[in-house]
Amino acid sequence: MTGRNNDTMRRRAVFGAAALLLCVCTAVCGLVHDGAFLARWQNVRISCDLDGDGAPERIAVEDRAVCIEQEGQTIWTGDAAWLVESALCGDVDGDGQNELAFLVWKRGSYGPSRPFWAEGDDPLYSQHIFLFRWERGGPKPFWMSSALRPQVAAWSLEADGTLAILTKEGEDTRWRWVTWGLERVDAPRLPY
């Protein structure tokens, strides 16, 4: 019986050490899901005039959190439940004003308003694009995607407002704001 107890204790110790290592790797490097590496966290600092006053605001993504500063004061912070991977600033919707785009990891595909076919929300982390515009002294969301499939590996905002997205599978795509959401503009048209 003693040998069996020792084996059980060793297995528990190995399992505990592996779980601790996974938690440390997740905290330091990013998220792991089904053995796949999903995100590389980077600290990003950009300056962009969001309120149109000629003075740029500072957008900082640090330690997976996002904040906006004006004149050295933090005026807005993102939701604490978000893990922010990246941020972009530019005229996404073609209205002549700068908007913010965040690449965010959060639990669940939807917010409180789910489509009728969704019975519940996924408890796992998934990648999303959130778009914000400046209204009444601060950023307000105007579009928040559900879980992205395929996922974004890299992205940039072109001068004309086109969002260039490189997927984790290596596909180079282009997206533009159309009425209510981002629409892929480089995909071949279907013959209807």
Side-chain angles (χ1 to χ4, degrees), residues 24-173:
V24 169
C25 287
T26 299
V28 173
C29 303
L31 299 172
V32 177
H33 175 66
D34 294 335
F37 194 72
L38 299 180
R40 293 189 186 275
W41 309 111
Q42 299 177 13
N43 290 341
V44 177
R45 294 168 194 239
I46 55 177
S47 293
C48 184
D49 185 10
L50 295 168
D51 59 9
D53 69 354
E57 284 67 40
R58 183 172 162 241
I59 299 94
V61 175
E62 295 179 1
D63 299 325
R64 296 177 221 115
V66 64
C67 71
I68 299 175
E69 297 176 356
Q70 256 181 354
E71 300 174 7
Q73 299 291 322
T74 299
I75 61 166
W76 180 83
T77 56
D79 189 315
W82 300 347
L83 302 176
V84 182
E85 185 176 353
S86 184
L88 299 172
C89 185
D91 187 7
V92 176
D93 64 2
D95 67 353
Q97 303 295 317
N98 288 326
E99 289 86 29
L100 288 170
F102 299 124
L103 194 55
V104 174
W105 288 85
K106 72 173 200 69
R107 290 186 189 275
S109 184
Y110 308 106
S113 300
R114 285 187 207 94
F116 68 89
W117 63 84
E119 292 182 20
D121 216 351
D122 189 349
L124 300 176
Y125 279 95
S126 54
Q127 190 182 48
H128 304 258
I129 294 175
F130 290 173
L131 300 179
F132 285 74
R133 63 172 51 109
W134 199 266
E135 293 178 4
R136 297 181 299 279
K140 304 291 184 237
F142 69 95
W143 188 75
M144 302 171 109
S145 77
S146 52
L148 298 176
R149 289 177 191 87
Q151 294 168 355
V152 175
W155 69 338
S156 64
L157 190 59
E158 297 174 355
D160 68 354
T162 300
L163 191 59
I165 294 178
L166 178 66
T167 69
K168 293 203 181 272
E169 290 77 18
E171 186 178 14
D172 190 15
T173 65

